C-alpha cells in the first residue's frame, strides 16, 4: 500500500511586506476586531466582503499558497461536516429564525431541505470561514518576540506576553511533530489518503493526535523547568531583544479599527433582526 506524504506550514514567515512592517499590537487588534465584527453579525453583506478582504490580505503576505493549502482544505472539510451535523441536529433551524418555510426537496424521514435552512447553513459556514484568512495573516506576519514586546509595552504583564510569545514560537515545532508522527504512522500502514473513506481517515487521525498531545505536554514541561532554572518571573520587569515602535500608519489603522468595531456593535444593537435573509 502506498501513502502520500503530507505537510503544512503555519508559522511566522520572514518576508518584507507592508503587513510585516506593522506593529504586532496593530495586527493583534486587527485580528480581535475582525473576530468581534464577525461574531456580531449573520449578514452576508458584511461576511462576504470580510472574506474577500481577508483573502486579499493573505495574498499580500506573499506566503506561497502551497504552504497553507492543506490547512485550507482541512478547514473547509471541517466546516462542511459541521454544516451537515447542524442540519441533522436541527433541520428546521433556518425556518425558525426566518419565520418562513420553502421546501426544496426531501431527504429521508422528516428531514427536508428548505430554502431558509440552506441559506442559514451557508451563512453560518461562511461566517466561520471568514475568520480563517485573518488568522493566517496574523501568524504569518507577526514575529513572536516582537509581538510579545509590543504587548508588554502597552501594559500587559511580561509573564503573559511571554506566554503568548511561546505559543506562537512553538507552533512550527508542533507542526513538525505532527508531520513526523504522521509519516511514522503512515509507515506502519495508517492510511490518510483518499484511498480510504472519510470516516476511516478521521479514525486514523486519532492515532496521530494522541502522540502529538503527549509530545506537546513533554515539551511544555521541559520549557517550564528551563525557565524556572533561569529565574524567570523573579523580576518585576524585563527587557526585550526585539521591539518595534508604533508608527503613524499603526495609529491610523488602530483608529480605523475602533470606528469599524463601533459601527458593528451599533448595528448589532439597533438591528431588530439578527439574521439577514434577502429572499423573503
Amino acid at each position: 500500500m502506498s501513502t502520500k506524504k503530507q505537510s503544512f506550514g503555519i508559522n511566522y514567515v520572514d518576508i518584507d511586506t507592508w503587513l510585516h512592517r506593522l506593529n504586532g499590537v496593530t495586527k493583534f487588534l486587527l485580528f480581535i476586531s475582525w473576530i468581534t465584527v464577525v461574531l456580531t453579525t449573520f449578514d452576508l453583506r458584511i461576511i462576504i466582503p470580510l472574506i474577500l478582504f481577508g483573502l486579499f490580505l493573505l495574498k499580500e503576505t506573499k506566503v506561497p499558497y502551497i504552504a497553507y493549502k492543506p490547512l485550507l482544505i482541512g478547514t473547509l472539510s471541517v466546516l462542511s461536516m459541521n454544516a451537515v451535523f447542524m442540519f441533522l441536529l436541527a433541520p428546521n433551524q433556518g425556518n425558525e429564525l426566518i419565520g418562513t418555510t420553502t421546501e426544496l426537496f426531501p431527504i429521508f424521514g422528516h428531514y427536508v431541505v428548505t430554502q431558509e435552512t440552506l441559506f442559514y447553513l451557508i451563512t453560518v459556514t461562511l461566517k466561520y470561514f471568514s475568520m480563517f484568512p485573518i488568522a493566517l495573516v496574523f501568524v504569518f506576519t507577526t514575529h513572536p518576540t516582537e509581538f510579545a514586546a509590543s504587548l508588554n509595552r502597552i501594559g500587559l504583564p511580561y509573564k503573559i506576553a511571554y506566554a503568548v510569545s511561546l505559543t506562537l514560537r512553538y507552533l512550527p515545532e508542533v507542526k513538525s511533530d505532527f508531520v513526523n508522527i504522521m509519516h511514522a504512522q503512515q509507515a506502519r500502514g495508517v492510511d490518510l489518503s483518499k484511498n480510504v473513506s472519510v470516516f476511516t481517515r478521521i479514525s486514523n487521525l486519532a492515532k496521530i493526535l494522541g502522540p502529538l498531545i503527549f509530545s506537546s505536554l513533554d515539551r511544555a514541561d521541559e520549557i517550564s523547568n528551563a525557565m524556572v532554572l533561569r529565574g524567570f518571573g523573579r523580576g518585576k520587569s524585563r527587557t526585550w531583544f526585539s521591539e518595534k515602535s508604533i508608527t503613524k500608519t499603526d495609529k491610523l489603522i488602530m483608529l480605523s479599527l475602533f470606528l469599524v468595531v463601533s459601527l458593528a456593535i451599533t448595528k448589532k444593537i439597533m438591528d431588530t433582526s439578527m439574521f439577514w435573509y434577502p429572499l423573503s
Side-chain angles (χ1 to χ4, degrees), residues 11-172:
N11 53 273
Y12 172 74
V13 181
D14 190 8
I15 304 176
D16 186 21
T17 69
W18 66 272
L19 285 169
H20 286 76
R21 290 191 292 270
L22 291 176
N23 190 279
V25 174
T26 305
K27 286 175 279 192
F28 179 69
L29 291 177
L30 172 62
F31 177 70
I32 296 299
S33 300
W34 195 288
I35 300 301
T36 302
V37 172
V38 170
L39 293 179
T40 59
T41 185
F42 279 90
D43 194 332
L44 283 182
R45 296 171 296 182
I46 297 175
I47 294 173
I48 291 179
L50 282 176
I51 293 175
L52 295 177
F53 186 57
L55 293 175
F56 166 75
L57 292 179
L58 185 56
K59 183 179 179 182
E60 287 294 295
T61 64
K62 308 299 182 184
V63 176
Y65 169 68
I66 192 67
Y68 54 86
K69 177 182 175 181
L71 189 60
L72 174 61
I73 296 174
T75 301
L76 291 175
S77 300
V78 170
L79 290 178
S80 298
M81 289 189 293
N82 178 69
V84 172
F85 288 133
M86 287 176 64
F87 175 74
L88 293 176
L89 294 174
N92 298 317
Q93 183 69 26
N95 307 337
E96 296 172 0
L97 285 174
I98 297 173
T100 61
T101 301
T102 307
E103 295 187 3
L104 295 179
F105 54 88
I107 300 181
F108 61 89
H110 66 283
Y111 288 101
V112 178
V113 176
T114 65
Q115 183 173 276
E116 291 79 6
T117 296
L118 182 60
F119 188 86
Y120 167 75
L121 293 175
I122 292 174
T123 300
V124 172
T125 300
L126 291 178
K127 175 185 174 79
Y128 292 152
F129 178 75
S130 65
M131 294 182 276
F132 172 79
I134 198 64
L136 289 186
V137 169
F138 175 72
V139 174
F140 285 152
T141 64
T142 308
H143 192 281
T145 303
E146 182 267 322
F147 176 56
S150 301
L151 290 178
N152 184 226
R153 183 179 179 184
I154 64 174
L156 191 71
Y158 77 87
K159 295 179 182 179
I160 299 177
Y162 201 80
V164 174
S165 173
L166 285 176
T167 301
L168 295 175
R169 182 179 299 173
Y170 282 97
L171 278 176

Side-chain angles (χ1 to χ4, degrees), residues 186-257:
Q186 287 177 328
R188 293 179 174 90
V190 175
D191 196 353
L192 297 172
S193 69
K194 297 180 180 179
N195 298 329
V196 296
S197 66
V198 174
F199 292 103
T200 302
R201 272 182 277 173
I202 295 175
S203 175
N204 289 340
L205 187 62
K207 300 177 182 178
I208 299 175
L209 295 181
L212 179 65
I213 292 173
F214 285 111
S215 66
S216 298
L217 291 175
D218 287 340
R219 178 181 290 107
D221 187 55
E222 291 176 1
I223 294 172
S224 176
N225 291 335
M227 293 173 67
V228 170
L229 289 174
R230 288 166 174 78
F232 180 83
R234 292 184 178 180
K236 294 183 178 180
S237 62
R238 61 159 292 164
T239 57
W240 299 87
F241 175 76
S242 177
E243 187 173 0
K244 188 180 296 184
S245 59
I246 297 177
T247 64
K248 292 182 178 179
T249 302
D250 291 302
K251 294 178 181 178
L252 181 61
I253 293 177
M254 289 180 187
L255 177 61
S256 301
L257 293 175

Side-chain angles (χ1 to χ4, degrees), residues 261-277:
V261 172
S262 299
L263 290 174
I265 295 176
T266 301
K267 180 181 182 301
K268 175 67 176 178
I269 295 174
M270 299 182 63
D271 202 348
T272 57
S273 177
M274 181 186 75
F275 195 80
W276 177 73
Y277 183 63

